Amino acid sequence: MENGHIDDVDQAILHALQEDARNFSSADIAERTGTSDSTVRKRIQRLEADGVIKGYSADVDYQGSGYPLRMLLYCTASIAERGDLVADILAIDGVISVQELVTGEENLLVTAVGESDSDITPVAQELLDMGLTVADEVLVRSHETTPFSEFAPE
């Protein structure tokens, strides 16, 4: 893979995996892409080795599993430190994701889940204890995802 370029077959593989990585076999994906089963397996291995596919995870319905609160915490960290803080933030109980933002004063977006406000408040306090400023907190009603449309086969 040259300079991070992926071709149409790679894109179709990525789209299928985003749709349902658990239930699409390499044979199913091969049929969709017009390639062989072994080609798909080799491509997936290469995409994993190159870090394009970072891993596989379950899409958990936190509300359905007893954690109805999803809170977005917009934080400000020094630009020099923000990247170094990500691992520590992810280690906080209740935090499920951290995104580095490159525009605006708020440069980290932390997502936390919990059963009640008493689960989310300690997350905000730990962020403050790390020297971050929590600029805004937003309660999320729902969160849905879809495969990236540019990867869809034509």
Side-chain angles (χ1 to χ4, degrees):
M1 198 172 340
E2 209 173 284
N3 296 327
H5 176 72
I6 58 175
D7 65 17
D8 291 344
V9 173
D10 291 334
Q11 288 180 355
I13 291 168
L14 292 172
H15 192 270
L17 292 174
Q18 285 180 314
E19 274 187 82
D20 193 352
R22 183 172 187 199
N23 293 310
F24 279 140
S25 69
S26 55
D28 295 331
I29 297 170
E31 186 176 317
R32 290 176 119 192
T33 60
T35 61
S36 70
D37 186 17
S38 64
T39 296
V40 169
R41 285 193 311 273
K42 287 176 188 171
R43 295 274 189 128
I44 290 172
Q45 289 172 347
R46 190 191 75 236
L47 290 165
E48 291 171 343
D50 290 346
V52 174
I53 297 174
K54 295 176 11 176
Y56 302 89
S57 60
D59 183 9
V60 176
D61 176 355
Y62 291 102
Q63 185 169 6
S65 63
Y67 297 90
L69 294 182
R70 180 186 293 255
M71 182 72 69
L72 304 179
L73 300 110
Y74 289 88
C75 303
T76 303
S78 76
I79 292 172
E81 292 180 324
R82 74 176 172 206
D84 296 334
L85 294 171
V86 172
D88 291 335
I89 296 169
L90 286 170
I92 297 172
D93 285 342
V95 171
I96 60 168
S97 75
V98 178
Q99 297 175 56
E100 281 189 72
L101 310 175
V102 294
T103 59
E105 186 175 328
E106 293 83 33
N107 54 19
L108 290 171
L109 174 57
V110 178
T111 304
V113 296
E115 283 185 89
S116 66
D117 188 51
S118 63
D119 294 326
I120 302 295
T121 302
V123 172
Q125 185 59 54
E126 286 195 52
L127 294 169
L128 293 171
D129 292 346
M130 294 173 70
L132 297 169
T133 300
V134 178
D136 198 8
E137 299 176 10
V138 177
L139 188 59
V140 177
R141 176 183 293 253
S142 68
H143 174 86
E144 303 299 329
T145 63
T146 189
F148 183 46
S149 63
E150 290 298 313
F151 291 164
E154 293 181 25

